Amino acid sequence: MIIIDAASPVPPFEQLRAQLARQIQDRTLAVGARLPTIRHLAADLGLAVNTVGRAYRELEEAGLIETRGRAGSFVSAAGEEGRERVRRAAADYAAVVAGVGIDAGEAIRIVQAALTSRGAAPTPS
Amino acid sequence: MTREPSPDAGPPTRAADLRLAGEWLARHDLAGARPTPLLASRLVVRRQARLAAHVILGVLIIASALASVAFLGPQPQHPLQLPALTVVVAGLLLAQSLLDWWVRRVDQRAGATLSRRAAHLIQPGWRAVLGRPYAVFTVATFAGAMALTGSALAVPDPTVRRPAVVLLIGMLGATAIFALQLRHLLRHPVVAEDEESLTADVIMRVEDARVLATPNVQWSLPMVLLFGTAPGWWSAASVAYLLLGLVAFIALNTRTPSSATVARQAMSNR
């Protein structure tokens, strides 16, 4: 379920984007689930088509949903795969850290430095 | 919480409508929910639309009967009767479309007064709203009526074939009206502000779908137009069709879960 509050200081498109992103990430919306069309969701929520379109576009750019032409928009597996790759890389990194004998605190600082040096958060692949 | 109603939000909700909304909630195990002006106005417009839809089908039956009467005898006395019936059916389809548009418009106005709007992310489809047993029953009912129509058309006697042509036009019109209503039921926007009103919205759709699945024209039109004039085997087949349909319909109504239960199941799956 999605709830849009017109009285909220958060813009409607951001409320929609955040709720959709949360439901995709916590798997309330399964990978492959078909989302309502932009026009339909806009009518249901009493929003402008452009507002819903913008939320969908940002979710697509984040790799959380994919649009397959006229078939509609679907929850993408890309976000899930990206998270799995990160988990595997973290496990490999933990093994390297243990092998080299660096303590956990320093290992975390190394990761933080690496993430900071990249600037923005890495995009899902 | 609601905003100030927009200028075109219609008249304020009457106390009687709110009372009926309260009764409707209690009937659907939602006694804890507060009857809101939104729910009251939606229920009122649905009641009126349902009544108008029954009038439309009544007009279809009467128009078909009149066209059939004009066709009795060895020669058609009014050659314009069939085109006239076709025009009437087209007019009734238009009336149904306008009725659906009016319901959508009232819902839209009610929705415009809400400061919060809720919607499903996974739309309840025909399986959730109509349900497989009702869908099978509806298809079988229409198929049975069409089979009776086809078999009457195959009779070489013109006194049977002419009313059968009228029956065919009437049945095609009834099928088109049904398709329009079902499409509207499944596709018109949700108007809700929270989980409770979202559940109420699904209950309304399930209720409307079940009313829609209740045979009326499919059962009455073949009897009105052909019973008595058609051969004995056709009359026997039409009575059997009616009795079987009636038994199936009673079984369906007594064995399927209530619309509130179905709606809650649909909500828990999303």
Side-chain angles (χ1 to χ4, degrees):
Chain A
M1 184 173 70
I2 289 277
I3 293 181
I4 301 295
D5 189 351
S8 166
V10 180
F13 100 87
E14 178 53 28
Q15 289 182 53
L16 178 59
R17 191 207 60 77
Q19 286 181 59
L20 275 167
R22 194 168 51 248
Q23 291 191 32
I24 291 167
Q25 281 158 353
D26 68 14
R27 298 188 190 162
T28 304
L29 280 169
V31 170
R34 186 167 187 246
L35 296 176
T37 63
I38 290 174
R39 195 173 295 277
H40 198 117
L41 193 56
D44 281 355
L45 293 170
L47 298 173
V49 170
N50 288 344
T51 304
V52 178
R54 185 179 168 188
Y56 272 35
R57 214 167 29 253
E58 295 209 359
L59 289 164
E60 195 165 8
E61 282 165 8
L64 293 172
I65 67 171
E66 56 182 288
T67 303
R68 302 176 198 160
R70 292 182 65 85
S73 299
F74 297 81
V75 174
S76 166
E80 208 60 34
E81 285 168 10
R83 205 168 279 110
E84 188 51 39
R85 277 180 60 195
V86 169
R87 269 195 293 268
R88 278 201 304 270
D92 291 347
Y93 178 66
V96 170
V97 166
V100 174
I102 295 175
D103 68 89
E106 191 180 349
I108 288 168
R109 280 195 297 278
I110 290 169
V111 171
Q112 276 174 333
L115 289 171
T116 309
S117 70
R118 286 184 61 89
T123 52
S125 53
Chain B
M1 195 183 100
T2 58
R3 280 187 230 146
E4 281 302 306
S6 59
D8 65 344
T13 315
R14 295 182 312 150
D17 295 339
L18 279 170
R19 186 174 46 78
L20 285 171
E23 287 168 7
W24 185 89
L25 286 168
R27 213 170 39 246
H28 293 95
D29 309 326
L30 289 165
R34 189 174 53 88
T36 59
L38 167 74
L39 178 67
S41 67
R42 295 191 74 205
L43 286 171
V44 166
V45 76
R46 262 151 196 78
R47 247 194 326 272
Q48 291 168 345
R50 211 178 276 177
L51 190 65
H54 286 313
V55 169
I56 285 173
L57 293 174
V59 170
L60 178 66
I61 293 168
I62 292 165
S64 301
L66 289 174
S68 183
V69 166
F71 256 38
L72 288 177
Q75 291 299 320
Q77 294 155 16
H78 300 281
L80 286 177
Q81 285 299 331
L82 275 188
L85 177 62
T86 309
V87 168
V88 168
V89 167
L92 294 176
L93 274 168
L94 179 66
Q96 185 60 56
S97 299
L98 288 171
L99 203 57
D100 292 344
W101 173 84
W102 174 59
V103 172
R104 277 199 305 273
R105 184 95 185 98
V106 171
D107 277 359
Q108 209 174 17
R109 286 177 179 180
T113 65
L114 301 175
S115 66
R116 276 160 49 105
R117 291 291 293 267
H120 307 277
L121 269 176
I122 309 292
Q123 302 294 325
W126 68 267
R127 279 188 194 85
V129 173
L130 185 60
R132 205 182 291 271
Y134 274 94
V136 169
F137 174 75
T138 303
V139 170
T141 306
F142 272 103
M146 284 298 187
L148 285 173
T149 308
S151 57
L153 280 169
V155 175
D157 183 355
T159 56
V160 175
R161 285 187 77 169
R162 286 188 194 129
V165 172
V166 173
L167 177 60
L168 179 67
I169 294 170
M171 281 308 304
L172 290 174
T175 309
I177 288 170
F178 172 85
L180 262 183
Q181 287 178 297
L182 187 63
R183 182 179 174 273
H184 174 254
L185 198 63
L186 296 174
R187 295 186 59 176
H188 82 268
V190 167
V191 182
E193 54 188 335
D194 50 24
E195 191 166 356
E196 233 165 41
S197 51
L198 207 51
T199 306
D201 185 276
V202 180
I203 292 173
M204 275 185 225
R205 284 172 202 256
V206 174
E207 258 187 353
D208 288 352
R210 290 182 177 190
V211 169
L212 193 57
T214 306
N216 33 49
V217 173
Q218 308 93 298
W219 281 357
S220 56
L221 211 52
M223 290 300 206
V224 167
L225 297 179
L226 280 158
F227 194 79
T229 55
W233 60 264
W234 191 95
S235 297
S238 65
V239 169
Y241 159 74
L242 203 59
L243 291 176
L244 276 174
L246 200 57
V247 169
F249 186 64
I250 291 166
L252 201 59
N253 272 279
T254 52
R255 288 175 178 231
T256 48
S258 70
S259 47
T261 306
V262 169
R264 280 196 188 81
Q265 281 170 352
M267 287 292 290
S268 67
N269 293 338
R270 24 215 32 89

